[in-house]
Amino acid sequence: MPNVMLRRSDDGQLLFYVAKKDLEETVVSVETDTDDAWGGTIELSDGSRYFIEPISPRPDFPTTLRFNRA
Amino acid sequence: MSTMTKQETEDLIQEVLEVYPEKAAKDRAKHLTANDQAVDKSSKCITSNRKSLPGVMTIRGCAYAGSRGVVWGPVKDMIHISHGPVGCGQYSRAGRRNYYVGTTGVNTFTTMNFTSDFQEKDIVFGGDKKLAKIIDEIEMLFPLNKGITVQSECPIGLIGDDIEAVSKTKAEEHGKTMVPVRCEGFRGVSQSLGHHIANDSIRDWVFPKSEGKAFEATPYDVTIIGDYNIGGDAWSSRILLEEMGLRVIAQWSGDGTLAEMENTPKAKLNLLHCYRSMNYISRYMEEKHGIPWMEYNFFGPTKIEEALRKIAERFDDKIKEGAERVIEKYRPEWQAIVDKYRPRLEGKRVMLYVGGLRPRHIIGAYEDLGMEVVGTGYEFAHNDDYDRTIKEMGNATLIYDDVTGYEFEEFVKRVKPDLIGSGIKEKYIFQKMGIPFRQMHSWDYSGPYHGYDGFAIFARDMDMTLNNPCWDAITPPWKRGSADVAEAAE
Ligand code: SF4
């Protein structure tokens, strides 16, 4: 259950950053991404997947959230 | 030897690894690679931020060095107690050459060494009382200090002292900021964790106190983060930002003060030079205070121009014009430097092995002088640093993480660079091998190297080192074939 910091990169993409693992990857897909809910299974550019119960409304980035491995 | 192919570089790595026992060779192999720009994630080709192998000569430092020496040390109006035995602080005292303005011992304290000088009895009975006494003594002798940090050395964590409690009581008693830092040397694998711990202590002990303090903001407030003012680096960066119309409200932490740190959450943009040592606090401020941060590079005119434009992008037209004006103004200046030194340095090959940002940031400055970096590596980088390095380095060049003394020497013998840039521990070995060397941690008692002013000094220093006539004297006359002798620049 890593603590993940999500932030927007300069070109507007969502970055997934885990300090303890030096993992900094772009988010390629989010299962649920509407104005009133955000979450589900999330896929990163290196192919790994993480899960978070959908949060509503969509959180403001940057923010820190807890993810599970999917 | 001219440029090596990828195969040759890989063979070289294999050859160097041969002397190790099998297990050690397997482990070290993961830290060495031939660069391939096609790789987009460094984790595929290099492992970093791992414990050094027992028995090898590593060049790393400890967490205490990362906190006391790097992050906290340069904060000039605070007193940093090296809490524990006397040696850790004394042998590293003033070694980093963080310049500052002020009267040392009156209102600034950077080059002084404060220590609790642990003795046997402090280990046996605990050192909290002594710490309290020292803080009182400091308050009496140096009343103009703005705050105190307690930098733990190894024994503090081992004997279980409660430096947090002491700091809290004393902070109330004296009405000042007191920061306990749990940066015992045994934590983590290198100084890198010390940076992180120090960043966290700023977050926990400095920022909460500054909330609500009055501050007059302008739309052009920026900060310089991760510039330690080595030989005046932050100053030669700062003037460029100011000339383009920005207001620099804080320097972290070279020539920095506690008040500047407290003001930082009010900035419009945090400019991050050394990503490794201060990305943590920048990320925190982005999340908590909504302050964006960006990395920039002020080494060498090409990168400076790029950085100035990138920074200006974040602001209005006034700043964008300012950036162009600055670029125009300095162009003739650096062009003259390049014209003078490039012919003397063209084609020379450099190997680097340094710390936080220099193994990648400085490449541009060498290229501006027509030189080529053929090998680079970090003492304590993480994967994200190597991600940022791969693109800067040429294909098939050597990349080494936490290189051991032996590997570095062997690489140098084979690659035969014209110049090496690394630390004081490596300096005399390579000089005795007859290879020009620059100490790239503290700029070899020179500097600044940042900014346009710094580039002029950088170019001069490289020329001075490389074309120094003394290198001809390494080979005695009777062994010398031809007689081409170097000449110093006018
Ligand atoms: S490892 Fe421990 S004893 Fe050695 S310098 Fe660092 S803090 Fe001091």
Side-chain angles (χ1 to χ4, degrees), chain B residues 63-84:
Chain B
Y64 160 83
S67 174
R68 162 68 182 90
V70 176
V71 175
W72 276 109
V75 182
K76 62 179 177 180
D77 60 354
M78 293 178 84
I79 286 177
H80 313 287
I81 303 174
S82 293
H83 192 35

Side-chain angles (χ1 to χ4, degrees), chain B residues 135-176:
Chain B
I135 293 177
D136 292 339
E137 248 171 52
I138 287 176
E139 283 305 320
M140 190 178 68
L141 291 170
F142 305 99
L144 293 185
N145 80 73
K146 294 280 159 38
I148 294 175
T149 68
V150 183
Q151 308 282 338
S152 317
E153 294 163 8
C154 286
I156 306 307
L158 297 172
I159 62 176
D161 270 10
D162 194 354
I163 57 169
E164 284 83 4
V166 179
S167 305
K168 259 190 208 144
T169 344
K170 287 292 160 192
E172 267 164 40
E173 201 180 309
H174 297 291
K176 285 192 179 159

Side-chain angles (χ1 to χ4, degrees), chain B residues 418-466:
Chain B
D418 301 294
L419 175 72
I420 300 174
S422 189
I424 191 71
K425 302 191 280 308
E426 296 75 68
K427 179 172 178 175
Y428 299 102
I429 297 167
F430 291 123
Q431 284 192 340
K432 284 174 188 170
M433 282 163 69
I435 302 168
F437 186 99
R438 288 299 299 183
Q439 209 262 79
M440 294 303 268
H441 290 272
S442 70
W443 304 146
D444 234 339
Y445 318 104
S446 178
Y449 284 179
H450 293 178
Y452 290 114
D453 292 343
F455 179 67
I457 296 166
F458 173 80
R460 182 206 63 191
D461 284 356
M462 294 310 135
D463 174 54
M464 195 167 76
T465 308
L466 257 164

